[in-house]
Amino acid sequence: MSLFRRLRLDSVWSRLLGTMAVVVVPAAALIVLLAYSLYTSALADLQVSQASAARGRAVSVRSWLDAAGRSLANEAFAARFVAADRCQRLADAFLRRNAGFVSVRFLDEAASPCSAGRAVDPQRLAEAARSGADAAGYRLLLVDRQIWIVAVDPELSPQGAPSVLVVDDAALRGHLQAIAAVGQTHVALTNGDGEIVVAQPTQPNALWAPAKLPSDAVWRAPDRSGSAATFAWSAIEGSSMGLLMRFDDQRLQAARQRLAVLCLTQLAMLALLGLVYAAAIRR
């Protein structure tokens, strides 16, 4: 009773109303906490799906390049046992058979080059030769913002030029198409310094990209124009490259709207219950 007097709840009506408030206010707080818990869970699920999308696309690009690299290594081995004229026909047939590449270069039995497609910069070949090869017999290199698949014959001297397959930028962009249905707006290939090498869609200065790449798989940060956005990044195994994605805010806004609707609906119901109760005890 002393508590009611301190709160100036002297009448029966005010005491009943105060009692109801003691029940309704904690219930309202509990509803808000529950709604916020559901909201954070939705955000966590969203981040997992975005990280999975970036990782899946990185695996897809890696699989495409891996198949080409293994084919290059096998064909380069075969070319080492044929004469120059057959090596040239081998290079022509290889480039026709493997779409998405602009040039290929092999070495014949005399260690002389035979090639098809665009000319390969000879000054870059020595650098590529020093790269060596991994367990699959090839390596992925970035040369002048192009992907080179390099197969080095260990029997050749270090200054001997390697076999090379150069990826077509247009074909690479075809593997970087954004899927709008899952909120993707931009997809790009990055180098070891986090710089964009190839992006889809292409925009001047890549203003859509983040100012820097943090270590997190998914993060939210301003882009180069100052607008906040959600990004995801995944490394491409076996190379210094990575796969960068930008997502729109539709699903994030939907989660926020669900939070607001859930909170407002439940609070409105409690407020209505309080008004009906207050009107009932006043009679």
Side-chain angles (χ1 to χ4, degrees):
M1 298 296 290
S2 60
L3 177 61
F4 286 120
R5 291 195 184 97
R6 290 176 185 174
L7 297 176
R8 297 181 180 179
L9 302 177
D10 297 329
S11 66
V12 175
W13 179 82
S14 59
R15 290 175 183 176
L16 291 174
L17 194 61
T19 303
M20 186 200 67
V22 171
V23 176
V24 170
V25 172
L30 183 61
I31 288 173
V32 171
L33 290 175
L34 177 60
Y36 185 74
S37 175
L38 294 174
Y39 170 69
T40 55
S41 177
L43 288 187
D45 291 341
L46 179 59
Q47 288 185 344
V48 169
S49 68
Q50 290 169 340
S52 297
R55 186 166 53 251
R57 186 63 65 88
V59 170
S60 175
V61 172
R62 168 62 181 172
S63 298
W64 173 54
L65 296 176
D66 179 65
R70 291 178 184 274
S71 295
L72 174 70
N74 292 335
E75 207 82 355
F77 180 78
R80 293 284 289 114
F81 297 95
V82 299
D85 57 338
R86 292 190 60 189
C87 183
Q88 183 62 52
R89 292 196 298 270
L90 194 70
D92 291 333
F94 183 87
L95 201 60
R96 288 195 305 269
R97 190 169 64 249
N98 294 273
F101 304 92
V102 295
S103 59
V104 65
R105 182 184 189 278
F106 295 126
L107 298 176
D108 62 18
E109 60 183 0
S112 299
C114 57
S115 60
R118 299 177 189 174
V120 177
D121 185 357
Q123 295 182 352
R124 294 289 190 174
L125 290 173
E127 177 184 344
R130 290 193 296 270
S131 68
D134 62 11
Y138 71 92
R139 281 199 182 279
L140 301 176
L141 299 179
L142 277 174
V143 179
D144 293 334
R145 306 182 73 85
Q146 277 189 318
I147 298 180
W148 281 23
I149 305 175
V150 178
V152 178
D153 190 334
E155 296 181 359
L156 297 178
S157 59
Q159 61 270 21
S163 297
V164 174
L165 182 63
V166 181
V167 177
D168 184 9
D169 285 348
L172 180 58
R173 288 191 178 93
H175 285 79
L176 301 179
Q177 291 289 342
I179 303 176
V182 294
Q184 300 171 10
T185 61
H186 297 78
V187 183
L189 195 74
T190 63
N191 61 16
D193 297 326
E195 299 173 345
I196 292 178
V197 178
V198 178
Q200 184 67 21
T202 303
Q203 290 182 352
N205 302 321
L207 296 179
W208 61 268
K212 61 179 181 178
L213 297 180
S215 58
D216 299 333
V218 178
W219 73 100
R220 189 166 179 81
D223 61 17
R224 295 177 183 176
S225 65
S227 302
T230 301
F231 302 94
W233 185 86
S234 180
I236 296 179
E237 183 182 355
S239 72
S240 61
M241 298 177 289
L243 200 289
L244 174 67
M245 280 187 178
R246 174 172 173 158
F247 297 87
D248 60 31
D249 289 338
Q250 290 184 2
R251 290 188 290 176
L252 177 61
Q253 291 172 354
R256 290 173 176 172
Q257 289 173 357
R258 286 193 297 269
L259 171 65
V261 169
L262 181 59
C263 289
L264 292 176
T265 301
Q266 299 300 320
L267 292 177
M269 291 177 61
L270 288 176
L272 180 61
L273 177 62
L275 291 174
V276 171
Y277 180 79
I281 63 175
R282 197 173 183 86
R283 293 178 181 178

